[in-house]
Amino acid sequence: MNQKLEIGLWGGENDGRKVAKGRTLGESEEPVGERLAKSAESTGSIRIVGYGSAMLARLFLFSALLFFTSLVAAATRPFTVVIYNVENLHDADGVAVYDDYQPSAYRPAHVATKVANVAHTLKRFRGGAGPDIVLLQEIEIDQTPQSTVPDVDAWLNQWRGMSAVQMLNQNPFPKELVGVPAEVWLLKALEDAGLTGYHMAVGSDPASPPTADSRRAIKCVTLSKFPIKAVRNHPLVSARMILETELDVGGDRLIVLNTHWKSGASNPQMEDIRIQNAEVMRSRVDEILAIDPAADIIIGGDLNSQYNQRARYPAMPRTGVDDVLKVGYSERQLVLGDEDLYNLWFELEPKARGSDTFRGNWGTLMHIIVSRGLYDQSGIQYQDNSFNVARLPGENSDAAGAPIRWSGGGTAGAGFSDHLPIYAHFKALEGEDKPGWMPLENPADTPPSETVFSVDYASVDLNQAIRVDTIPPQTNLRDGSWTGKLFKVAGPAVGTGRPSVRFNNEVYEIYAPQTETRDRLEAQAIKHRALEFYGELGTYKGNWQFVVRDISWVP
């Protein structure tokens, strides 16, 4: 099967995307080369919303003609929206709410690795130019706001001759860099990778006092290559503020709602909180649609809810995403007006729906939800069947396609996130508005079921595992570069109940999510005083371990 991909990277025969008649998987209405040829390189300016007006001055240094031309070029080509929970991107000030990000475990070198890996992932979109709109979750709330960067554009200009990685690896670490917020470090890493031209809106979640019972730690951030016309924040109970941005896409209005609801998808008590989170979101959507029923709205983020939340957890009498936000599953119902919101997870076949894992099962906590207006023939339009999950095998995903999460182990940490990014393509329609709706190709119309799919670790090719005799002697497996890699492990058992293993002259804990796998390992330890298995290298709460994902990984 021909697998032409819109970003020239992800997909394959088991991609799982709905196959539209007359179009290969991932193929856009325009060839990739023609679309990219139409795009304009950014001016390099970055507009920060929420950091004061001084930094906007650079925008006016460019001629009006150049500015207008760049906006038109950006608006008349298809554009990409990415949703990415980056798993606790913290800054380097040494002040944090979470234990894993205290100075003893998380240092400037860790920040360098983290922002470089996020930039590396985003650079894989649009032929290296990066996504046009990025909705980020789990960016640290600055716990030392008194030492922030007042003019981000000026700061970026000041440090243009030095990369973020170089800056963060200075020893001693310069005092003037201690207070730089996490999102500014990320902008710097993006600029180093050639991803420029972003405007930025930052959630206004305040840092909570150290005496608070439950302290706020993270917020949402939105990046856009389109001008940001307005920013609004909507408070939620026990969750991050909804970050609303109104974007100008070549004269068309696009409203983006970046959100991160209360965690604990399977917990009924937490669902009560998510119901409140959903009520705030639904109320805001209703306000927008009351003014303009055809408004173009994208809701994106970590809703900590499954796409089939009500079906998957039938004991919950009411759910936020299904019963309150009222997100539909049918494109036909959306076009007919029976629904006003549609979840793009239904663009994929059920087995392909998954961007995170929990206890060996796929989850869909990340979402892109679109309004009915994105299916009409005016303004901005969703590109049908373009939704997908961004997997980079061997980089942000493991041998089974599951995310390689961030690990603070080693001198500089390693890994990416416990969530894979999700993305979709949109376009601004040219010419006069037309009545009616865009044609649907293989439209989604099947209600969600309670089916849960497991990560297929049993099909992993274990012959690809790293063997210790194939790597140089004295190799430090704990320097961070081996994190997430699959090893063939053999060595003396340390203990018999929940045994550890001595491997490459060091002791590693063993974690196996399946009871039968743990039982088999314990039986090995008792019988042979030695262990042999396949495991992924990682850390948990500062301790190095091998994760044995499936019973087939234990001979």
Short mmCIF file of all heavy atoms in Angstrom, two decimals, residues 481-506:
data_model
loop_
_atom_site.label_atom_id
_atom_site.label_comp_id
_atom_site.label_asym_id
_atom_site.label_seq_id
_atom_site.Cartn_x
_atom_site.Cartn_y
_atom_site.Cartn_z
N SER A 481 21.38 8.01 27.87
CA SER A 481 21.26 7.74 26.44
C SER A 481 20.65 6.37 26.14
O SER A 481 20.25 6.10 25.01
CB SER A 481 22.64 7.87 25.77
OG SER A 481 23.54 6.90 26.27
N TRP A 482 20.59 5.50 27.15
CA TRP A 482 20.05 4.15 26.95
C TRP A 482 18.62 4.00 27.46
O TRP A 482 18.01 2.95 27.34
CB TRP A 482 20.95 3.12 27.65
CG TRP A 482 22.37 3.15 27.16
CD1 TRP A 482 23.40 3.86 27.69
CD2 TRP A 482 22.90 2.46 26.03
NE1 TRP A 482 24.55 3.66 26.97
CE2 TRP A 482 24.27 2.80 25.94
CE3 TRP A 482 22.37 1.58 25.10
CZ2 TRP A 482 25.10 2.29 24.96
CZ3 TRP A 482 23.19 1.07 24.10
CH2 TRP A 482 24.55 1.43 24.04
N THR A 483 18.10 5.06 28.03
CA THR A 483 16.76 5.01 28.61
C THR A 483 15.72 4.69 27.55
O THR A 483 15.74 5.24 26.45
CB THR A 483 16.41 6.35 29.27
OG1 THR A 483 17.38 6.60 30.30
CG2 THR A 483 15.03 6.33 29.88
N GLY A 484 14.82 3.76 27.86
CA GLY A 484 13.77 3.38 26.93
C GLY A 484 14.17 2.29 25.96
O GLY A 484 13.34 1.78 25.21
N LYS A 485 15.45 1.89 25.98
CA LYS A 485 15.92 0.86 25.06
C LYS A 485 15.60 -0.54 25.62
O LYS A 485 15.54 -0.75 26.83
CB LYS A 485 17.43 0.97 24.85
CG LYS A 485 17.91 2.34 24.37
CD LYS A 485 17.35 2.70 23.01
CE LYS A 485 17.93 4.03 22.51
NZ LYS A 485 17.33 4.44 21.22
N LEU A 486 15.42 -1.47 24.71
CA LEU A 486 15.11 -2.86 25.07
C LEU A 486 16.40 -3.66 25.18
O LEU A 486 17.21 -3.68 24.25
CB LEU A 486 14.19 -3.47 24.02
CG LEU A 486 13.78 -4.93 24.23
CD1 LEU A 486 12.96 -5.07 25.52
CD2 LEU A 486 12.99 -5.43 23.02
N PHE A 487 16.60 -4.33 26.32
CA PHE A 487 17.81 -5.11 26.58
C PHE A 487 17.44 -6.57 26.80
O PHE A 487 16.37 -6.90 27.31
CB PHE A 487 18.52 -4.61 27.83
CG PHE A 487 19.31 -3.34 27.64
CD1 PHE A 487 18.68 -2.11 27.67
CD2 PHE A 487 20.68 -3.39 27.42
CE1 PHE A 487 19.40 -0.94 27.50
CE2 PHE A 487 21.41 -2.23 27.25
CZ PHE A 487 20.77 -1.01 27.28
N LYS A 488 18.37 -7.44 26.42
CA LYS A 488 18.33 -8.84 26.88
C LYS A 488 19.15 -8.87 28.16
O LYS A 488 20.34 -8.60 28.17
CB LYS A 488 18.92 -9.79 25.84
CG LYS A 488 18.89 -11.25 26.30
CD LYS A 488 19.31 -12.19 25.21
CE LYS A 488 19.40 -13.65 25.67
NZ LYS A 488 18.52 -14.06 26.73
N VAL A 489 18.49 -9.21 29.25
CA VAL A 489 19.10 -9.12 30.57
C VAL A 489 19.33 -10.53 31.13
O VAL A 489 18.43 -11.37 31.09
CB VAL A 489 18.20 -8.32 31.54
CG1 VAL A 489 18.85 -8.22 32.93
CG2 VAL A 489 17.91 -6.94 30.97
N ALA A 490 20.53 -10.77 31.64
CA ALA A 490 20.84 -12.02 32.32
C ALA A 490 21.83 -11.72 33.43
O ALA A 490 22.82 -11.00 33.21
CB ALA A 490 21.42 -13.05 31.35
N GLY A 491 21.54 -12.20 34.62
CA GLY A 491 22.45 -11.94 35.72
C GLY A 491 21.94 -12.52 37.02
O GLY A 491 20.81 -13.04 37.11
N PRO A 492 22.74 -12.47 38.09
CA PRO A 492 22.33 -12.99 39.39
C PRO A 492 21.10 -12.28 39.94
O PRO A 492 20.96 -11.05 39.79
CB PRO A 492 23.56 -12.75 40.28
CG PRO A 492 24.70 -12.55 39.32
CD PRO A 492 24.11 -11.93 38.10
N ALA A 493 20.21 -13.05 40.55
CA ALA A 493 19.04 -12.47 41.21
C ALA A 493 19.45 -11.89 42.56
O ALA A 493 20.29 -12.45 43.27
CB ALA A 493 17.97 -13.52 41.39
N VAL A 494 18.85 -10.75 42.90
CA VAL A 494 19.06 -10.13 44.20
C VAL A 494 17.72 -10.20 44.93
O VAL A 494 16.79 -9.46 44.64
CB VAL A 494 19.53 -8.67 44.07
CG1 VAL A 494 19.73 -8.06 45.45
CG2 VAL A 494 20.82 -8.60 43.25
N GLY A 495 17.61 -11.17 45.86
CA GLY A 495 16.34 -11.43 46.53
C GLY A 495 15.48 -12.37 45.71
O GLY A 495 15.79 -12.69 44.55
N THR A 496 14.37 -12.81 46.30
CA THR A 496 13.47 -13.74 45.60
C THR A 496 12.05 -13.20 45.49
O THR A 496 11.37 -13.41 44.51
CB THR A 496 13.45 -15.09 46.33
OG1 THR A 496 13.14 -14.89 47.71
CG2 THR A 496 14.79 -15.80 46.20
N GLY A 497 11.56 -12.49 46.51
CA GLY A 497 10.26 -11.84 46.41
C GLY A 497 10.44 -10.48 45.78
O GLY A 497 11.17 -9.62 46.31
N ARG A 498 9.80 -10.27 44.61
CA ARG A 498 10.05 -9.06 43.81
C ARG A 498 11.55 -8.84 43.63
O ARG A 498 12.12 -7.83 44.06
CB ARG A 498 9.39 -7.83 44.43
CG ARG A 498 7.87 -7.88 44.41
CD ARG A 498 7.27 -6.57 44.86
NE ARG A 498 5.81 -6.59 44.76
CZ ARG A 498 5.11 -6.26 43.68
NH1 ARG A 498 5.76 -5.87 42.60
NH2 ARG A 498 3.80 -6.30 43.68
N PRO A 499 12.24 -9.77 42.99
CA PRO A 499 13.70 -9.72 42.92
C PRO A 499 14.21 -8.57 42.06
O PRO A 499 13.52 -8.08 41.17
CB PRO A 499 14.05 -11.06 42.28
CG PRO A 499 12.85 -11.40 41.44
CD PRO A 499 11.68 -10.91 42.25
N SER A 500 15.42 -8.16 42.35
CA SER A 500 16.18 -7.27 41.48
C SER A 500 17.20 -8.13 40.73
O SER A 500 17.29 -9.35 40.95
CB SER A 500 16.89 -6.19 42.30
OG SER A 500 15.95 -5.38 42.99
N VAL A 501 17.98 -7.49 39.84
CA VAL A 501 18.96 -8.24 39.08
C VAL A 501 20.27 -7.46 39.03
O VAL A 501 20.27 -6.23 38.94
CB VAL A 501 18.44 -8.52 37.64
CG1 VAL A 501 18.25 -7.22 36.86
CG2 VAL A 501 19.38 -9.46 36.89
N ARG A 502 21.38 -8.20 39.14
CA ARG A 502 22.68 -7.57 38.95
C ARG A 502 23.05 -7.73 37.48
O ARG A 502 23.17 -8.84 36.96
CB ARG A 502 23.74 -8.23 39.84
CG ARG A 502 25.13 -7.57 39.72
CD ARG A 502 26.08 -8.12 40.78
NE ARG A 502 25.67 -7.77 42.12
CZ ARG A 502 25.90 -6.58 42.70
NH1 ARG A 502 26.54 -5.63 42.04
NH2 ARG A 502 25.48 -6.36 43.93
N PHE A 503 23.25 -6.60 36.82
CA PHE A 503 23.48 -6.59 35.38
C PHE A 503 24.50 -5.51 35.04
O PHE A 503 24.37 -4.37 35.52
CB PHE A 503 22.15 -6.33 34.65
CG PHE A 503 22.25 -6.26 33.15
CD1 PHE A 503 22.49 -7.41 32.40
CD2 PHE A 503 22.09 -5.06 32.48
CE1 PHE A 503 22.56 -7.36 31.02
CE2 PHE A 503 22.17 -5.00 31.10
CZ PHE A 503 22.40 -6.15 30.37
N ASN A 504 25.49 -5.88 34.28
CA ASN A 504 26.54 -4.92 33.91
C ASN A 504 27.16 -4.26 35.14
O ASN A 504 27.41 -3.07 35.16
CB ASN A 504 25.98 -3.85 32.95
CG ASN A 504 27.07 -3.17 32.14
OD1 ASN A 504 28.04 -3.79 31.72
ND2 ASN A 504 26.91 -1.86 31.93
N ASN A 505 27.33 -5.08 36.19
CA ASN A 505 28.00 -4.68 37.43
C ASN A 505 27.19 -3.71 38.28
O ASN A 505 27.74 -3.07 39.20
CB ASN A 505 29.39 -4.07 37.15
CG ASN A 505 30.32 -5.04 36.45
OD1 ASN A 505 30.38 -6.23 36.84
ND2 ASN A 505 31.02 -4.59 35.43
N GLU A 506 25.89 -3.60 38.02
CA GLU A 506 25.04 -2.74 38.84
C GLU A 506 23.71 -3.45 39.09
O GLU A 506 23.31 -4.33 38.34
CB GLU A 506 24.80 -1.39 38.15
CG GLU A 506 26.07 -0.56 38.04
CD GLU A 506 25.83 0.78 37.35
OE1 GLU A 506 25.57 0.78 36.15
OE2 GLU A 506 25.91 1.81 38.04
#
